[in-house]
Amino acid sequence: MEHKKDRISELPDPLLQHVLSFVPIKQVVQSSTLSKRWKHVWFTIPVLEFDKTFFESKLWCKDNKKARKIQTRRVDQILLNRRRMGLSINKFTLFMPLTRPKSVSQVVDPWIDYVVKSDVEELNLDFYDDTWKRYLYPLPQSVLLAKSITMLMLTGCSLESLSLSCDIKINFSSLKKLSLVNVRTDDQIIQTLLAGCPVIEDMSIEHCCGLKTIHFSGLSKLKFIELKLNDGLKKVKLEASNLCCLHIQEMTASRINMVHFKTLKMLKLSSRCITDNWLNCYISQLPLIEYLSLYGCQMLEKIKISSHSLKTLYLLLCKNLVEVQINDTPKLCELSYGGTSTISFSVNALPYLSEATYQMVSHSGPWDVQKIELLAKLSNSKLFNLRSIYSAKDIVIPKELKETLPSPSYNVKQFHLWMSKPFTTHEIVEIVDNLLWISPLPELLLITHSIGVKPWFETISFKFSYKNPILREENPSCCKFLPVPCWRHCLKTITIENFRASTNEETLKADEETLEKYFYENAKILESFEFHPRADS
């Protein structure tokens, strides 16, 4: 019998190395057992990524501690072989447990020293402490002299030792992206660090400790800044003439100053120090702003948003916000509000608004006139999302409101409900009935709900088609407040798809019969009803 030719193994080394650089490290190591050729290729790939699964995989040993020791020796051998062969490293990633910082440093420091000397371009060091003792890895000074590094990502490290070295000169002449997560540092170290990064474009500082003041200036290439939940940070001052994206989530900060932000397009803020005056002052100085998100800004009370460039606006959980005026924002196409309904919401005509979202808060109470009026103001869009609904009872609108108020979302063509709790057969009709009062002429109705098993959520779709209405009475009560007849007088076909596959056949049959009965009893001219549950995959 003629054996099939192994064409993959015949590929040149550079091509095989490129392919393996996209494969998880565990599988790359396994490939080295195929032949001497594959072993050679594995040892020479320029991308080395030792992640958590590499050190704790049951492939090597059932006991995690023993597996870590085995893999630590394996990394030693891999790097030693590369050193002997004089090979360079383009990318080095290390995710490693930090149980004893001193013993880990004895092992890891030589690895990093070799990697830096190998002209590494991307360096990602992530040390996680699974003992809850908040150990941090002391970063070797050799990293700060690496001219070749273009991307540096540090997690679970300490930079404190750097402040003790007066003679060290940081030289990140090629560094474009810097990320610090759970790093112990201080104001002076960050200033010294940034002074050695003349071409940096992307800067992220998250969950770090030891910082009191951050001052960015003189970084003409900087385009992205992210500051999130840094313990003890009080003051932020930013000067970046070419910045495009800024994300600040600093609840303890007492002062945030921004200077020369004419190029800013995206601004995400979450801080207790953001006031009405602050926001009105800075928004007027951002001529190119396209995306604005305000989350948990507790000092905001009355805000006015006016921008000729703004396309996306998020207002979420600003609990003291009582008045919002959105004026002269002709390009706004996405609007999202999450909070109580006891708010004065003024929205001028938004000709390009394609998506709007109302995220109900848990303590907002039952449906009332204010909530429905707010829904109406947010519903001038093609797609409307109603989020944070816990269960079916939270979508039920009192009968007296339905009889005295117009449907708030009659212009919406696609309505999407997001629910946390699964529903029963009886509840699905109640949900649909209330949604079709809120939005009485949708083309597409979506219900996303939890299912208790992976993938945890699923989305049911109701597709509607209509024809000219037939009114058997002059002024039907169901649509007396609407400019056009509701779905009951013009629904022609309905197709229900992706219905909950996680349930049994008996429940599915009951769901189908209940929905079919509901639509045929309420839709006067319905011609077709189709029900398609999703098959289990």
Side-chain angles (χ1 to χ4, degrees):
M1 182 183 292
E2 186 178 350
H3 292 286
K4 290 185 178 180
K5 214 169 186 181
D6 181 6
R7 297 190 179 276
I8 295 179
S9 294
E10 292 181 349
L11 295 172
D13 283 3
L15 189 54
L16 283 176
Q17 291 169 354
H18 181 71
V19 171
L20 287 177
S21 67
F22 295 98
V23 177
I25 189 69
K26 184 170 65 176
Q27 296 176 17
V28 174
V29 174
Q30 288 176 308
S31 73
S32 65
T33 63
L34 297 176
S35 67
K36 289 184 178 179
R37 170 92 196 289
W38 279 95
K39 186 175 183 179
H40 168 74
V41 172
W42 142 237
F43 273 135
T44 58
I45 60 172
V47 175
L48 296 177
E49 297 189 78
F50 304 108
D51 58 15
K52 187 174 181 179
T53 59
F54 176 82
F55 284 99
E56 298 185 357
S57 174
K58 296 294 189 288
L59 176 69
W60 325 116
C61 181
K62 292 184 178 180
D63 183 272
N64 277 346
K65 289 185 178 180
K66 290 183 179 179
R68 292 174 188 175
K69 290 182 179 179
I70 293 171
Q71 292 308 89
T72 297
R73 289 196 293 268
R74 190 184 292 267
V75 175
D76 267 332
Q77 189 60 46
I78 291 168
L79 296 180
L80 179 61
N81 289 339
R82 297 181 68 90
R83 189 196 304 268
R84 289 170 177 168
M85 298 169 70
L87 299 172
S88 62
I89 299 175
N90 293 343
K91 181 179 180 180
F92 184 81
T93 298
L94 180 65
F95 284 72
M96 195 171 184
L98 194 65
T99 52
R100 294 187 181 91
K102 288 185 179 180
S103 60
V104 170
S105 293
Q106 290 173 358
V107 174
V108 174
D109 285 2
W111 297 352
I112 295 178
D113 184 61
Y114 164 68
V115 167
V116 169
K117 290 178 180 177
S118 299
D119 294 329
V120 66
E121 295 177 5
E122 297 183 21
L123 180 60
N124 184 357
L125 303 177
D126 190 327
F127 297 91
Y128 57 94
D129 178 12
D130 49 13
T131 66
W132 298 99
K133 294 182 179 179
R134 300 196 70 177
Y135 288 137
L136 297 172
Y137 170 71
L139 188 72
Q141 295 180 2
S142 59
V143 174
L144 305 180
L145 302 175
K147 296 181 181 180
S148 60
I149 293 182
T150 60
M151 184 178 79
L152 178 62
M153 304 178 72
L154 303 176
T155 301
C157 297
S158 172
L159 306 183
E160 287 181 313
S161 61
L162 308 181
S163 61
L164 303 176
S165 304
C166 302
D167 56 339
I168 188 170
K169 186 176 181 181
I170 296 175
N171 189 357
F172 283 132
S173 57
S174 303
L175 188 66
K176 292 186 177 181
K177 181 175 181 178
L178 175 63
S179 172
L180 305 177
V181 179
N182 188 26
V183 169
R184 186 181 294 131
T185 182
D186 61 38
D187 299 356
Q188 185 58 50
I189 292 174
I190 293 297
Q191 290 302 110
T192 305
L193 194 63
L194 292 177
C197 306
V199 296
I200 192 165
E201 297 177 358
D202 187 321
M203 177 79 180
S204 178
I205 304 177
E206 181 178 348
H207 286 285
C208 293
C209 58
L211 290 170
K212 294 181 179 178
T213 301
I214 286 181
H215 184 188
F216 291 169
S217 64
L219 302 172
S220 60
K221 302 287 185 179
L222 195 58
K223 296 180 180 179
F224 177 92
I225 296 176
E226 184 175 48
L227 305 174
K228 292 178 64 178
L229 303 173
N230 295 291
D231 188 28
L233 184 62
K234 297 298 182 183
K235 297 180 182 179
V236 177
K237 185 174 182 180
L238 307 175
E239 299 177 50
S241 57
N242 291 304
L243 196 68
C244 294
C245 179
L246 174 62
H247 182 187
I248 299 179
Q249 186 179 352
E250 297 293 353
M251 304 312 292
T252 61
S254 59
R255 185 183 303 172
I256 297 175
N257 292 331
M258 304 190 309
V259 183
H260 305 307
F261 275 23
K262 301 295 184 182
T263 59
L264 194 68
K265 292 186 176 182
M266 176 180 283
L267 177 60
K268 299 170 73 175
L269 294 171
S270 180
S271 177
R272 293 190 180 95
C273 70
I274 304 299
T275 64
D276 299 350
N277 290 336
W278 187 99
L279 184 65
N280 294 334
C281 174
Y282 281 109
I283 291 299
S284 64
Q285 299 177 33
L286 304 176
L288 302 180
I289 190 71
E290 295 181 357
Y291 182 107
L292 175 61
S293 172
L294 303 172
Y295 178 88
C297 297
Q298 313 295 16
M299 296 292 288
L300 291 178
E301 296 179 0
K302 298 180 180 181
I303 62 173
K304 296 180 181 179
I305 304 293
S306 178
S307 170
H308 283 205
S309 58
L310 190 64
K311 296 180 180 179
T312 302
L313 175 61
Y314 284 82
L315 303 172
L316 303 172
L317 301 180
C318 302
K319 67 177 184 179
N320 293 313
L321 193 60
V322 295
E323 184 178 327
V324 176
Q325 291 184 32
I326 302 176
N327 303 315
D328 202 16
T329 54
K331 294 183 179 180
L332 191 66
C333 56
E334 184 177 353
L335 172 62
S336 182
Y337 170 73
T340 65
S341 57
T342 57
I343 185 171
S344 172
F345 214 101
S346 173
V347 183
N348 280 7
L350 301 173
Y352 295 102
L353 191 64
S354 58
E355 182 173 354
T357 299
Y358 177 31
Q359 186 168 317
M360 297 174 65
V361 294
S362 58
H363 57 274
S364 61
W367 287 90
D368 55 20
V369 174
Q370 287 179 315
K371 192 174 290 186
I372 291 173
E373 288 179 346
L374 177 59
L375 210 62
K377 292 176 181 178
L378 294 172
S379 293
N380 189 24
S381 61
K382 296 177 182 177
L383 168 62
F384 185 81
N385 299 292
L386 184 57
R387 302 187 71 109
S388 299
I389 300 295
Y390 177 67
S391 64
K393 68 178 183 179
D394 296 323
I395 196 64
V396 175
I397 300 167
K399 183 179 179 181
E400 58 268 23
L401 293 179
K402 291 181 181 180
E403 292 176 348
T404 55
L405 294 173
S407 297
S409 307
Y410 62 83
N411 284 324
V412 171
K413 298 302 179 185
Q414 297 182 27
F415 195 101
H416 195 169
L417 173 71
W418 301 74
M419 284 180 58
S420 301
K421 191 177 179 181
F423 52 81
T424 65
T425 297
H426 171 73
E427 288 174 334
I428 184 59
V429 167
E430 197 170 41
I431 292 169
V432 171
D433 186 67
N434 281 275
L435 292 180
L436 288 176
W437 179 81
I438 295 173
S439 178
L441 279 172
E443 295 174 359
L444 179 64
L445 176 62
L446 301 171
I447 301 175
T448 297
H449 65 102
S450 66
I451 54 177
V453 294
K454 286 185 178 180
W456 308 120
F457 286 89
E458 69 180 10
T459 299
I460 304 168
S461 71
F462 296 74
K463 298 178 181 178
F464 303 93
S465 71
Y466 303 93
K467 67 179 187 179
N468 291 333
I470 297 176
L471 297 179
R472 294 188 171 90
E473 50 185 301
E474 187 174 339
N475 188 22
S477 59
C478 58
C479 42
K480 62 183 178 182
F481 297 111
L482 296 176
V484 293
C486 72
W487 66 275
R488 297 173 187 272
H489 306 280
C490 53
L491 182 61
K492 179 182 178 182
T493 67
I494 176 171
T495 303
I496 304 173
E497 296 178 335
N498 199 38
F499 213 81
R500 46 186 183 185
S502 55
T503 191
N504 56 56
E505 289 186 14
E506 185 178 340
T507 303
L508 272 176
K509 186 64 177 175
D511 289 338
E512 180 180 4
E513 291 175 353
T514 302
L515 285 167
E516 184 174 19
K517 180 182 178 183
Y518 168 78
F519 278 106
Y520 272 112
E521 285 182 353
N522 288 278
K524 310 300 183 185
I525 57 175
L526 184 63
E527 297 176 4
S528 171
F529 174 91
E530 294 185 22
F531 184 89
H532 304 294
R534 180 173 64 87
D536 279 316
S537 55

